[in-house]
Amino acid sequence: SSHLGSKEGEGCRLHTLRVVLRSFAMASNATDVGAQGENAKSRELLERVIPEWGEFAEVHLLWPLLVQVSITIACVPLHEIYRILYVKSKAFHRFIDRFIGRTGKLSVESPIVVLIAQFVQIVLSAVVVALYAQSSSNIHLANPSLVYQKPFSVFFMILYILRLMQGGFTATDAWGVSALVDIVTITPLFVDHAPGTAWFNLRFLRSYLALQAYECIQETEYIKNTIGELPRRVALTLFRLTCLVICFSGIIFVLEILGELPGLVPVTVTTNMGDLSFIQMNYWMVTTISTVGYGDYSPTTAPSQLVTIVFIIAGIMFFGAETSQLMEIKELLDSGKSRYIARQKDHNHIVLTGSGASRLSTMLQEFLMEVLDPEGSGNTDVPNVVILSETEYDPALKDFVRAKLPVNVHEKVFFLRGSPLSSDDLERVQLHRATMAFIIPGVVSGAGLEEDSRNILGALEMQRHCPGIRLRLMLLDGDSEEWATKLGVPRQQCFTANGLKASLMAHSTRVKGLLPLVAGLLQVTSDEESRVFLEKDPKSAWRAEYAHSVRHQVYGLKIGRDFAKMHFAAAAAKIYDESEGKVMLIAAQTSGRLMMNFSGALEEGQVVLAIARSLSVVMPFADLSSDWRKTFLERRSEMLIRERLEVEDQNADTGTSVLKLGRASLTLGSSDSQPLLRRTATVNHTPIETEAGDGADEAEHFNKIVHSPDLVVLIVAEGNEASWEEVDMFIGGLRQEYLSFVQQPIIVLSPTRVPPHLRHRYEHQSCAFVSGKVLDYHNLRMVGIDEAKAVITFRAGTWEGFDAAHIVMEDYEVITLTNLISKIWKRTGKQNGYGLYEFGSTMAVELRELRNNEKQNASAGEEQGNLPKQKGSDTRWTRSVRKYCPSIASTEEFCSSLSVSSKAAYLQTIGRQLLLLPSFAAGQVFSPDFFGSVLGHIYNFPATIEFIETICMPQYNHQSSFSWQVRCPPKWVKRTFGELVRSWANGQDDSDLLKESGPVLVLALYRSHRAIEGKGTPHEQGYQVTLPPASTVLNESDLITLLGTPAFGKSASEHSLLGASSIPEAPRLPPGDLGP
């Protein structure tokens, strides 16, 4: 148009503009029509592929709920079937423990199956989430995706069943979060959907199961040892963040698409601020005062704007104040100043206090393992443990609880800070509702008088706060128990750890195997522990006998009506016969006191103790009308009241009041300072001092003791005050009146001089005290090691709060000493030498056995009869420990460097494997783990301490029967154990052995390796067999452990049945000849 004239051009331009506008208008109309068509098609498609709330709830909520309820009902019979198979079928039991695991014990011998399953879980769950994201973007589920989903779900169902199997098909596990996610994501795949709605589901929740699988893999030893902690933590945080975002965004996505709930559509009011409702205003106010502020709403009127300002300031102040209070509460909880609140209503709990409760020790580990039963041995009454400590908790203790105990177990442990002397703190731990309370010291060897003073005062305050509390007070000092009784703590509620240990070790010199007998009856051994023990040497006959033996326990029961008015021994024989040799009565409670081999007649409902392999074989003889423990505690309480009244009367007569405990008031014996008269002898320039009296008479007395066939040598590694108290208790235990006719000569070797009062007390009782270097070959021979019937060692140092691997390092002196003693016996041809050695930890005992099995050669210096200096011994021991624990940093590292079979044994429990070590089976080692298991056993078996004390400290419990050990009489050789039990329980024997001695209860046999296996061992003489099968044939070398009167002991001594084993010895070499 530019080439035309003005008028013509203008007209052309207007015409052209009209044509263009008309064309645009027609195109716009066509576009609007197309868009409207497309929108209509989209709306129609969305209406078809998006379900209504009712359809969604039916497919994704109702059907999964019905499946969940069905599974819960099915779990009831499945749980019983699982339990029966696990107990009865060894193949099923081994399959579960080896490949699947159990709740509370998820570590398995062959984790490869579980790890592969968890890895596949991660991969397939990630694929499912990716398919969900793709289908939600395309608003449909492609047919290929649907084809893949169902096979995936089959695999997920298999994993679901495996998780239920780990928990034993309990209803609790069926309602866990992981189980619910499986049900919600799997069930809808097999339910009919409305056409086109299959894409709309909740399968994005499988990201949570992928996270759980990753956490499981991350906890494996391989990952821990190959990837650093920081990278693992970063990866876990990213994994958790991804899972959180996917789950939260998926839930909002579903809720937004489904829209408002039917019947709950909010009615809005149109304002300048927008269309408002009360729910929207709540949403807006939370985002505003929390300073998030999305900006989708804002006030428009002046009044609302002014009020909003006030609200924002108030909201900031509110959140600041509340956050501060929450942080204070968190700090209070972290510091242990909170109040104990049971997670489950009416759940039992025990209170543990004392300085020993705040530090990690092998004793505390074993206590927690025994009480909390993490191995799932069948105890349903597992209490919460509330620990109360005045000092800060050892981080290693909390790490042990969190890392070593399963989740469902460590949640039962509560750490609180406070003092047992404070009523407020005792109220915070709810002492008045506690089932029991324990006070344990922090030092088990050393000067513990100050520790005992605090604990006694704590016990008195706890009794004042809650007079009816079941209390157990563990003391250290020998005289503290007497002071505790005078001050009002009942005798039956306290015991002395060092006294108990010294008495047990003393009586073990005349009753071989007494330690495994007592420990085995008070400790549960699982099937898995027995299996590992047997697999170390499947062809070993002694292992099979001992594994059967340690499954026996002591049970309490109320005697049934059928045995009322029957003499105790006759009832024991009858029950033994009717149970086919599976049950043996050993004690009865009378007048509140426990009496071994009770000499009277039984009454209906009287509490008795019996040895049996399981509770089921005991029940037919019991009165089940009430719990025996309640009756036992009631009778004991009545006795305690009587004794307390007697003590108060005595205090009133003597004017005794609550005295301040101090070291001077508890000094042993006389305080005279008479100088020692010493005789010095020199052997190869190594001096020893025999602390005796005057000249030739004392030398003759010493030589007579040294060459006695019943000699007991006690070696004290450290001659401190606590050690001498233990020596006093040890000698006193063997100098009781009922043992007057069999007094064993005793020589005590220590690095320091004996206190005067102790020497004066025993100088006329066949005792001699020698001071000199302990780790000296010639000193040991000088005190009669090669002549001794038994050798006992008391360990130096403490048992307080060290990691097990560090305690192992401190045991090198004991290890060296035991090896030296074994070498002396080997060179002199002594085959029946019996040694009992105290160690600081079970790990040291195991390491000693590993070293012995390797048959390490003695060093050149040892061959010449002189040990290297202590530093050299320490170096060799360190090298030996490093061979199994390169960094000597923790128990885990020690275990991880062992062989597979040894590691499997270690992973059972910490310390509980002591019972299954060959040296402990022989009764030749002791460690503080014993006290932990004893204390823990008290909760379920309240007669624990009474039972131990009646065995090893009968003089304090007015016993009429005592433990004895005799050689098998010749007439009983080749006859059965059952015949012996029946005959002696009825007081019958063809010889006059039982003449005027009354009934005798046979408990166990101590058997020789040489007689059973045909070969001996240089380190373990035999093994203890508690209540062997009635068909067991007696051997000439068997030692019979029994309960009998002093008259029986005297009769057995007259028949030459007491004393050393009948194993013939090889010819001895003269003391000066070291041999080839």
Side-chain angles (χ1 to χ4, degrees):
S1 62
S2 60
H3 298 287
L4 300 178
S6 60
K7 290 185 178 181
E8 294 178 356
E10 182 67 22
C12 185
R13 285 195 295 273
L14 290 175
H15 174 75
T16 302
L17 181 60
R18 292 190 189 99
V19 173
V20 172
L21 291 176
R22 189 179 299 113
S23 299
F24 275 114
M26 293 175 63
S28 178
N29 291 334
T31 301
D32 291 341
V33 172
Q36 291 175 4
E38 288 294 332
N39 291 336
K41 291 180 180 180
S42 298
R43 285 194 298 271
E44 183 180 357
L45 176 62
L46 289 174
E47 289 176 358
R48 290 201 309 266
V49 301
I50 298 178
E52 299 291 338
W53 261 107
E55 297 173 348
F56 178 82
E58 178 184 354
V59 174
H60 297 279
L61 299 179
L62 180 59
W63 277 104
L65 178 61
L66 293 177
V67 172
Q68 182 67 27
V69 172
S70 302
I71 292 176
T72 303
I73 297 173
C75 280
V76 177
L78 287 175
H79 175 67
E80 290 301 317
I81 295 173
Y82 175 90
R83 187 180 63 82
I84 294 173
L85 287 176
Y86 191 81
V87 174
K88 301 294 183 182
S89 174
K90 292 184 178 180
F92 182 78
H93 180 113
R94 184 166 184 176
F95 171 76
I96 294 296
D97 287 350
R98 187 168 187 177
F99 298 105
I100 306 301
R102 293 177 288 141
T103 300
K105 185 189 175 185
L106 295 179
S107 59
V108 293
E109 296 179 27
S110 302
I112 186 66
V113 176
V114 176
L115 293 180
I116 291 176
Q118 298 294 353
F119 179 77
V120 177
Q121 167 87 286
I122 295 175
V123 174
L124 296 187
S125 296
V127 172
V128 168
V129 174
L131 290 175
Y132 178 83
Q134 185 261 342
S135 63
S136 62
S137 300
N138 297 332
I139 317 298
H140 73 283
L141 185 61
N143 290 330
S145 301
L146 185 60
V147 171
Y148 293 137
Q149 292 280 0
K150 289 189 176 180
F152 290 176
S153 297
V154 173
F155 176 79
F156 294 147
M157 284 189 287
I158 294 175
L159 290 184
Y160 175 81
I161 295 173
L162 290 180
R163 277 200 303 272
L164 290 183
M165 191 177 294
Q166 285 179 336
F169 291 99
T170 61
T172 304
D173 291 319
W175 284 90
V177 177
S178 300
L180 293 176
V181 170
D182 270 326
I183 294 298
V184 169
T185 56
I186 295 175
T187 303
L189 279 173
F190 302 92
V191 177
D192 292 334
H193 295 72
T197 62
W199 71 275
F200 193 71
N201 52 63
L202 299 175
R203 279 191 282 277
F204 58 84
L205 294 176
R206 293 215 66 87
S207 59
Y208 173 77
L209 297 180
L211 171 63
Q212 278 204 328
Y214 175 77
E215 291 177 343
C216 178
I217 293 177
Q218 189 178 237
E219 292 301 317
T220 60
E221 290 294 329
Y222 177 78
I223 298 298
K224 288 182 177 180
N225 295 332
T226 55
I227 302 178
E229 184 174 354
L230 181 60
R232 285 190 288 113
R233 183 64 193 181
V234 171
L236 180 61
T237 300
L238 293 176
F239 219 115
R240 287 176 175 174
L241 178 62
T242 303
C243 174
L244 184 74
V245 171
I246 290 175
C247 291
F248 283 7
S249 59
I251 292 173
I252 296 299
F253 176 71
V254 169
L255 294 178
E256 284 294 321
I257 289 179
L258 288 175
E260 301 289 353
L261 286 169
L264 296 178
V265 179
V267 178
T268 59
V269 178
T270 302
T271 67
N272 293 334
M273 195 174 179
D275 295 336
L276 305 180
S277 70
F278 182 71
I279 295 178
Q280 290 171 333
M281 282 296 94
N282 279 273
Y283 152 76
W284 173 74
M285 185 54 65
V286 169
T287 60
T288 300
I289 65 175
S290 63
T291 69
V292 175
Y294 289 118
D296 46 355
Y297 294 99
S298 60
T300 57
T301 64
S304 63
Q305 291 173 344
L306 293 175
V307 172
T308 299
I309 293 173
V310 176
F311 287 171
I312 291 175
I313 297 174
I316 294 174
M317 295 174 62
F318 171 80
F319 280 110
E322 292 301 314
T323 302
S324 176
Q325 290 188 11
L326 288 175
M327 294 301 295
E328 290 178 1
I329 293 176
K330 184 179 183 302
E331 292 178 1
L332 199 65
L333 293 175
D334 293 340
S335 63
K337 295 295 185 179
S338 60
R339 182 184 180 89
Y340 164 70
I341 299 177
R343 294 188 176 97
Q344 298 179 5
K345 188 178 180 181
D346 299 330
H347 193 89
N348 294 332
H349 77 281
I350 63 176
V351 175
L352 178 65
T353 187
S355 61
S358 63
R359 299 183 180 184
L360 182 65
S361 63
T362 56
M363 182 180 69
L364 184 56
Q365 288 177 359
E366 187 61 26
F367 173 84
L368 294 174
M369 299 289 282
E370 186 74 26
V371 171
L372 297 174
D373 190 25
E375 293 297 313
S377 61
N379 181 21
T380 57
D381 185 20
V382 179
N384 290 336
V385 179
V386 183
I387 305 178
L388 181 66
S389 172
E390 296 184 66
T391 60
E392 188 71 28
Y393 285 101
D394 181 8
L397 173 59
K398 291 188 174 182
D399 291 341
F400 166 77
V401 171
R402 295 191 182 104
K404 285 297 181 183
L405 299 180
V407 176
N408 62 322
V409 175
H410 78 64
E411 289 179 346
K412 293 179 177 292
V413 182
F414 298 80
F415 295 96
L416 301 183
R417 291 284 303 279
S419 170
L421 298 176
S422 170
S423 295
D424 293 338
D425 292 335
L426 295 179
E427 187 65 29
R428 287 196 297 114
V429 299
Q430 298 194 35
L431 183 67
H432 59 286
R433 294 187 177 181
T435 308
M436 198 168 184
F438 296 89
I439 303 179
I440 62 175
V443 183
V444 183
S445 180
L449 186 58
E450 182 179 355
E451 178 81 13
D452 286 343
S453 302
R454 291 197 303 268
N455 289 340
I456 291 173
L457 294 176
L460 294 173
E461 177 60 25
M462 294 173 80
Q463 285 186 331
R464 187 199 65 78
H465 184 85
C466 183
I469 186 66
R470 284 177 59 195
L471 177 68
R472 278 298 181 183
L473 170 62
M474 181 176 175
L475 300 170
L476 303 174
D477 191 272
D479 291 338
S480 296
E481 188 172 2
E482 180 181 354
W483 278 105
T485 304
K486 288 182 178 180
L487 294 175
V489 180
R491 168 70 180 81
Q492 281 70 23
Q493 291 189 353
C494 57
F495 70 96
T496 305
N498 292 338
L500 209 60
K501 178 195 73 175
S503 297
L504 266 172
M505 298 179 77
H507 290 289
S508 294
T509 62
R510 61 182 193 85
V511 181
K512 294 181 180 179
L514 185 62
L515 269 171
L517 171 65
V518 173
L521 292 175
L522 297 175
Q523 184 171 309
V524 179
T525 303
S526 67
D527 292 333
E528 180 65 15
E529 290 172 323
S530 297
R531 182 186 64 78
V532 172
F533 175 73
L534 291 173
E535 285 183 349
K536 288 185 177 181
D537 189 358
K539 297 181 180 180
S540 173
W542 84 264
R543 284 182 179 270
E545 275 194 307
Y546 184 70
H548 179 273
S549 168
V550 296
R551 300 303 300 273
H552 288 87
Q553 285 186 269
V554 58
Y555 294 94
L557 67 148
K558 295 173 63 177
I559 200 67
R561 180 179 303 174
D562 296 341
F563 303 95
K565 307 301 181 183
M566 187 179 294
H567 192 275
F568 179 84
K574 183 179 179 181
I575 291 176
Y576 183 81
D577 280 333
E578 293 183 0
S579 65
E580 300 178 349
K582 297 178 181 178
V583 181
M584 168 61 72
L585 293 188
I586 59 173
Q589 187 186 37
T590 177
S591 300
R593 195 181 303 279
L594 197 62
M595 301 298 293
M596 305 300 289
N597 192 11
F598 179 48
S599 59
L602 294 173
E603 300 178 0
E604 181 182 355
Q606 186 174 358
V607 174
V608 297
L609 301 186
I611 297 176
R613 186 174 171 86
S614 65
L615 183 61
S616 59
V617 298
V618 176
M619 300 311 291
F621 312 105
D623 176 6
L624 304 179
S625 59
S626 61
D627 191 345
W628 74 271
R629 291 175 294 187
K630 182 179 180 182
T631 304
F632 177 84
L633 294 173
E634 289 175 352
R635 299 291 182 270
R636 190 176 70 181
S637 297
E638 294 171 359
M639 180 191 67
L640 294 179
I641 293 174
R642 292 195 303 269
E643 290 186 351
R644 183 176 299 177
L645 293 176
E646 293 175 0
V647 170
E648 291 177 355
D649 292 341
Q650 293 175 1
N651 291 343
D653 294 338
T654 59
T656 304
S657 59
V658 178
L659 302 178
K660 179 180 180 181
L661 296 179
R663 183 167 298 279
S665 65
L666 292 178
T667 301
L668 286 172
S670 172
S671 60
D672 58 27
S673 57
Q674 181 180 353
L676 294 174
L677 300 176
R678 298 170 294 180
R679 179 175 61 86
T680 302
T682 303
V683 181
N684 287 358
H685 306 289
T686 306
I688 65 171
E689 296 177 344
T690 57
E691 300 169 9
D694 185 34
D697 292 339
E698 293 297 339
E700 182 180 355
H701 174 69
F702 180 79
N703 290 330
K704 182 179 179 181
I705 293 177
V706 166
H707 296 291
S708 170
D710 294 328
L711 173 64
V712 175
V713 176
L714 175 61
I715 302 175
V716 182
E718 182 177 339
N720 55 28
E721 181 179 347
S723 298
W724 289 119
E725 290 173 1
E726 294 179 10
V727 170
D728 188 12
M729 298 173 189
F730 179 91
I731 300 177
L734 295 177
R735 293 295 181 265
Q736 296 303 311
E737 184 178 355
Y738 73 94
L739 295 173
S740 59
F741 56 89
V742 287
Q743 284 197 2
Q744 298 167 275
I746 301 173
I747 294 180
V748 180
L749 172 63
S750 68
T752 59
R753 295 165 59 185
V754 62
H757 71 272
L758 197 59
R759 178 173 60 83
H760 294 161
R761 183 177 303 174
Y762 297 112
E763 63 182 350
H764 300 298
Q765 298 188 34
S766 299
C767 294
F769 298 89
V770 179
S771 60
K773 185 178 178 181
V774 172
L775 290 176
D776 187 279
Y777 183 94
H778 296 287
N779 282 358
L780 293 176
R781 296 204 68 190
M782 187 68 182
V783 297
I785 289 294
D786 51 349
E787 301 280 346
K789 172 189 173 183
V791 178
I792 312 295
T793 65
F794 283 167
R795 178 183 181 272
T798 67
W799 300 340
E800 176 191 9
F802 294 103
D803 180 82
H806 292 87
I807 298 177
V808 170
M809 291 302 303
E810 294 187 350
D811 274 332
Y812 74 91
E813 186 172 341
V814 182
I815 300 288
T816 306
L817 181 60
T818 60
N819 290 338
L820 182 57
I821 293 172
S822 297
K823 186 177 70 172
I824 293 175
W825 283 343
K826 182 179 180 180
R827 291 183 176 181
T828 57
K830 189 177 182 63
Q831 297 177 354
N832 65 343
Y834 184 81
L836 175 53
Y837 314 114
E838 179 187 2
F839 289 86
S841 104
T842 299
M843 188 184 298
V845 181
E846 174 73 4
L847 188 52
R848 169 181 175 262
E849 294 192 352
L850 290 172
R851 280 189 60 179
N852 291 337
N853 292 337
E854 292 177 350
K855 300 180 180 180
Q856 294 181 345
N857 296 324
S859 65
E862 290 175 337
E863 292 292 341
Q864 297 174 0
N866 293 316
L867 286 176
K869 294 182 179 181
Q870 181 172 334
K871 182 178 180 180
S873 301
D874 190 7
T875 302
R876 288 200 314 280
W877 178 235
T878 301
R879 289 200 302 265
S880 181
V881 174
R882 286 186 184 276
K883 180 177 181 180
Y884 299 98
C885 179
S887 63
I888 321 179
S890 66
T891 305
E892 295 83 355
E893 293 174 0
F894 178 81
C895 295
S896 63
S897 55
L898 291 175
S899 62
V900 175
S901 59
S902 298
K903 183 177 179 180
Y906 265 90
L907 291 179
Q908 300 306 313
T909 56
I910 296 178
R912 192 170 291 191
Q913 71 272 20
L914 175 68
L915 191 63
L916 297 177
L917 292 178
S919 54
F920 191 81
Q924 295 183 240
V925 295
F926 178 88
S927 82
D929 301 347
F930 172 81
F931 290 113
S933 60
V934 164
L935 285 170
H937 196 71
I938 293 175
Y939 175 74
N940 291 307
F941 188 75
T944 298
I945 298 299
E946 286 87 343
F947 170 73
I948 299 176
E949 289 183 340
T950 54
I951 292 289
C952 65
M953 305 174 73
Q955 64 273 19
Y956 300 126
N957 295 277
H958 310 287
Q959 297 296 307
S960 59
S961 285
F962 307 89
S963 58
W964 302 97
Q965 192 171 71
V966 298
R967 291 184 288 114
C968 182
K971 59 162 293 184
W972 284 101
V973 176
K974 302 304 181 183
R975 298 176 67 178
T976 64
F977 180 80
E979 292 177 299
L980 179 68
V981 171
R982 298 183 190 96
S983 177
W984 285 12
N986 290 315
Q988 300 172 357
D989 191 86
D990 294 342
S991 66
D992 58 351
L993 176 63
L994 302 184
K995 183 180 179 181
E996 298 180 359
S997 63
V1000 173
L1001 298 183
V1002 181
L1003 306 181
L1005 297 177
Y1006 188 86
R1007 317 205 79 176
S1008 165
H1009 285 297
R1010 189 177 300 275
I1012 301 300
E1013 303 284 353
K1015 58 182 180 179
T1017 168
H1019 304 287
E1020 292 85 31
Q1021 191 187 64
Y1023 60 97
Q1024 177 74 24
V1025 185
T1026 303
L1027 200 64
S1031 59
T1032 302
V1033 178
L1034 299 176
N1035 297 319
E1036 181 183 0
S1037 61
D1038 287 341
L1039 300 179
I1040 302 170
T1041 305
L1042 51 88
L1043 295 173
T1045 62
F1048 171 84
K1050 189 172 183 180
S1051 176
S1053 178
E1054 293 172 352
H1055 285 75
S1056 301
L1057 294 177
L1058 289 182
S1061 170
S1062 60
I1063 303 175
E1065 295 191 27
R1068 301 268 188 96
L1069 295 174
D1073 186 1
L1074 297 180

